[in-house]
Structure formats: structure tokens, C-alpha cells
Amino acid sequence: MIRSVVRGNGAALPRRIMKNADFEGMVETSDEWIVQRTGIRQRHVAADDETTASLGEAAARAALDSAGMTSADIDLIILATSTPNNTFPATAVEIQNQLGMHHGFAFDMQAVCSGFVYAVATADLYIRGGLAKRVLVIGSETFSRILDWNDRSTCVLFGDGAGALVLEAEGGAGAITDRGVLAASLRSDGVHKDKLFVDGGPSTTGTVGHLRMEGREVFKHAVGMITDVIEATFGEAGITAEDLDWFVPHQANKRIIDASAKKLGIAEQKVVVTVDLHGNTSAASVPLALSVAVADGRIKKGDLVLLEAMGGGFTWGAVLLRW
Ligand code: ACO
């Protein structure tokens, strides 16, 4: 059977780092509150010349370099984002053009923080369906542009950045020992749409709007939803938590990550945590965390890696792959 195997990965972050202490003169908050409640210590914030497209392009170039490929080798770009450069065209098409790629096709995928997990699962279907051989999957966000910087309950939580993977079709035995994407489970339920949303849009207000979140409500649902979809993924693959080498969760809140890992029986030393460095970068958070754990030598070829995310919608999902 055909498998979608990771050939390379990359990341890009805005130049400016904003520490928790930098909020102290802006809203009533403290480094202590932010660290205790979330685990976040700093985030990167995009300058005017840094956009979802430019960060996504930089991450894509890094992923192509690490794969030893150029854009000429790619047939499809999927960009997971909720902060596109424009309402249309898709920012993926802009990145395609910036990479000098004038063949194949490109589109955006919008599942908020679950966007990258959705995009990897979708890329895998294109590859296994024979519609693409090499896919660039990017998660890129500039949430700083949709934050209400006067709302302390949200502005301290998010950051900007991008990460990317190159996936390529390769023959596999259909066994759990194959490299590539091995299982995926995706979910959404719009009954929760008002708990985490942006209060603007082209068809309603005609404005971009700002992020609004009932944090406590999101928190309440997060661990149950995350563990549920991961257990479904384990079931599909016929594995248990003990078989995993690495758990790379969405980086929203250290308490959610810890509680999910504990409930699933995933050992602490297998959990990749970067929320302290990047904050919540929505669809970029999983590929950014991957890039850190690959760069420091933790994730190696042949390792069994579980990706997970949950976000606005709600959307949630998990992907199991062998690196
Ligand atoms: N600094 C100081 N105090 C604050 C701040 C702040 N930055 N923000 C809120 N507070 C106050 C609140 O006003 C509240 O005060 P009160 O008790 O007087 O009313 C108090 O702190 C406690 O607020 P809670 O909201 O109950 O705090 P909680 O412990 O729930 O932590 C948090 C808040 C961090 C937002 C948490 O609920 C959370 O992480 N929620 C989930 C977020 C998430 O996972 N999102 C997922 C995906 S994001 C996406 O898809 C785009």
C-alpha cells in the first residue's frame, strides 16, 4: 500500500519575541499568572513585513531544503491557517507563487488550531488516492493580527509562526512498522462555535474581527475530546500509549497537555512541550513543536509520533505517523 512518508520539515518565527513581562504595562496581568495558568513564557509577534504568507514561505523553504527538494518536486500545497493574508485568494496560492511553483495546485484549510492535523490527514488521502506524490503541508498563523490587545484573557495566550512538512508517496507493507502516516481521526462539533470564535467576517460584519474565547469552557471540554480522539486513533492502529516514542500535542496550555498525557498513560518524558517558547500559534503549533524536537535530536527516523490538536469549532483530531 501507499504511505505518506515525511521527507523534511521546517519552521519560521517572527523576529520579535514578546516576554510575559512585556504585557505588564498593557493589561492587568503578571508573568506569574501567565506561567501558572498556561506554561507560556514568551511568544513571537509578527512585524508589519511578516505575514502568514511570508512565514509560511520561509517554513516551506526550510522543509524543502531538509528534504533535499525544490518546489519543482511538489504537486500540492495545503496551508492550514485561520489568519490568511487576504479573504481570497488562498494564501497557499500566494506561497505557491513565491516558491516559483506554477504547476500542481494549492489550497488553504481552515480548522483553527486543528488545522495542521486536518491538513496532514488530508494530504495523506491525496497521496494514497494517487492525486499527488509530494505534498507540502504548512501551518502558518499571525494571530497577533486578530487579538484584542486590551483583553487580558486572550491576548497573553497566542503567538505567530509557521511550520511545514514534506510528505512523499512510498510503498509500505501495510504494517505498523511502515514509515509514514499510519492512522488519523478527525472530529468537529459546531454546537460549540460560540465558545471560541472571531467576531467578524466577510459575510457578516465585513470586518476581520477579534478572537473571543470562553477559556474556562474550552478548558472543560479539551481533555475529554483530545483523549477520546487519540484513543480512537490508537484503536485504528492497534497500538497503546506504551508503543509511542513521542507525543506532539497542540500547544495551547501546559495544564491541558499534562492532563491529557496523564489520562492516556503517556510518560512525561515522551511529551514535546514548546508552549513556553511559542505560546499558542494555532495551526502552526504542532509543526513548530515537531521542528524543535527534530532539531534537538529527540525525534529520529523510525520513531512512532502522535500529533494531536483541538481548537475553535470545536474541531479536534489526531494523526499517528512513523517518522
Ligand atoms: N492575567 C491575570 N488574570 C487573568 C488573566 C490574565 N492574563 N486572564 C484572566 N484572568 C483572570 C480572570 O478574569 C479570572 O478572574 P476572576 O476570578 O476575578 O473572574 C481569573 O483570572 C480566572 O480566570 P479563568 O478563565 O477561570 O482562568 P483559567 O484557570 O481557566 O485559565 C485559560 C484561563 C488559560 C484561558 C484557560 O481557561 C485555558 O487555557 N483555556 C483553554 C484555551 C485553549 O485550549 N484553547 C484551545 C484552542 S485555541 C484555538 O483554537 C484558536
Side-chain angles (χ1 to χ4, degrees):
M1 71 176 290
I2 298 172
R3 293 290 194 190
S4 309
V5 175
V6 176
R7 292 288 184 235
N9 74 293
L13 288 160
R15 295 179 294 272
R16 180 178 162 219
I17 293 176
M18 195 171 171
K19 303 263 187 200
N20 290 348
D22 298 335
F23 284 94
E24 284 174 9
M26 295 169 52
V27 288
E28 210 183 319
T29 191
S30 64
D31 176 52
E32 192 193 357
W33 190 96
I34 300 170
V35 172
Q36 261 181 17
R37 299 289 176 128
T38 70
I40 298 167
R41 292 181 184 278
Q42 63 173 46
R43 73 286 294 137
H44 290 248
V45 177
D48 288 349
D49 65 335
E50 293 170 316
T51 66
T52 293
S54 73
L55 294 168
E57 179 196 348
R61 287 188 186 280
L64 287 168
D65 282 352
S66 89
M69 292 183 196
T70 70
S71 62
D73 300 310
I74 300 296
D75 338 277
L76 166 61
I77 299 174
I78 307 178
L79 170 68
T81 190
S82 301
T83 46
N85 273 35
N86 295 85
T87 302
F88 76 78
T91 303
V93 172
E94 201 168 328
I95 293 174
Q96 179 190 22
N97 185 48
Q98 284 166 199
L99 292 174
M101 178 178 159
H102 303 289
H103 62 276
F105 61 116
F107 60 87
D108 287 0
M109 176 154 266
Q110 212 273 52
V112 202
C113 297
S114 310
F116 191 78
V117 167
Y118 269 55
V120 170
T122 304
D124 179 49
L125 290 175
Y126 274 95
I127 288 174
R128 285 193 289 126
L131 292 164
K133 281 205 161 52
R134 298 191 191 100
V135 183
L136 195 47
V137 187
I138 308 167
S140 182
E141 301 278 20
T142 45
F143 261 49
S144 62
R145 309 276 211 260
I146 55 165
L147 294 177
D148 175 349
W149 287 92
N150 296 312
D151 175 10
R152 67 174 182 176
S153 70
T154 53
C155 72
V156 302
L157 303 175
F158 295 89
D160 302 332
L165 286 184
V166 176
L167 295 175
E168 183 176 30
E170 182 182 289
I176 194 73
T177 48
D178 288 352
R179 289 187 65 208
V181 176
L182 300 169
S185 307
L186 304 179
R187 306 265 190 277
S188 69
D189 188 348
V191 77
H192 302 290
K193 70 181 176 55
D194 296 330
K195 296 189 177 93
L196 175 50
F197 68 105
V198 171
D199 63 3
S203 185
T204 49
T205 58
T207 61
V208 172
H210 292 112
L211 183 148
R212 306 293 173 204
M213 178 165 74
E214 290 176 41
R216 217 174 298 189
E217 278 297 305
V218 179
F219 200 107
K220 215 168 74 188
H221 288 87
V223 177
M225 286 176 160
I226 289 165
T227 52
D228 204 47
V229 81
I230 289 173
E231 271 159 7
T233 311
F234 284 171
E236 188 190 329
I239 66 152
T240 68
E242 288 193 0
D243 299 313
L244 285 182
D245 293 300
W246 300 106
F247 177 40
V248 186
H250 173 47
Q251 308 285 321
N253 185 313
K254 177 79 164 54
R255 289 188 292 152
I256 296 176
I257 295 172
D258 290 347
S260 308
K262 192 170 173 205
K263 194 166 169 203
L264 289 159
I266 300 173
E268 207 182 326
Q269 62 272 20
K270 293 182 177 180
V271 184
V272 176
V273 177
T274 52
V275 70
D276 53 332
L277 300 172
H278 305 145
N280 180 349
T281 57
S282 187
S285 96
V286 168
L288 275 170
L290 277 172
S291 76
V292 168
V294 170
D296 67 21
R298 273 179 287 174
I299 297 182
K300 294 179 292 299
K301 193 172 165 182
D303 283 353
L304 193 58
V305 181
L306 176 70
L307 316 180
E308 160 276 307
M310 186 253 180
F314 294 151
T315 56
W316 64 110
V319 165
L320 182 74
L321 59 86
R322 192 170 294 284
W323 195 260

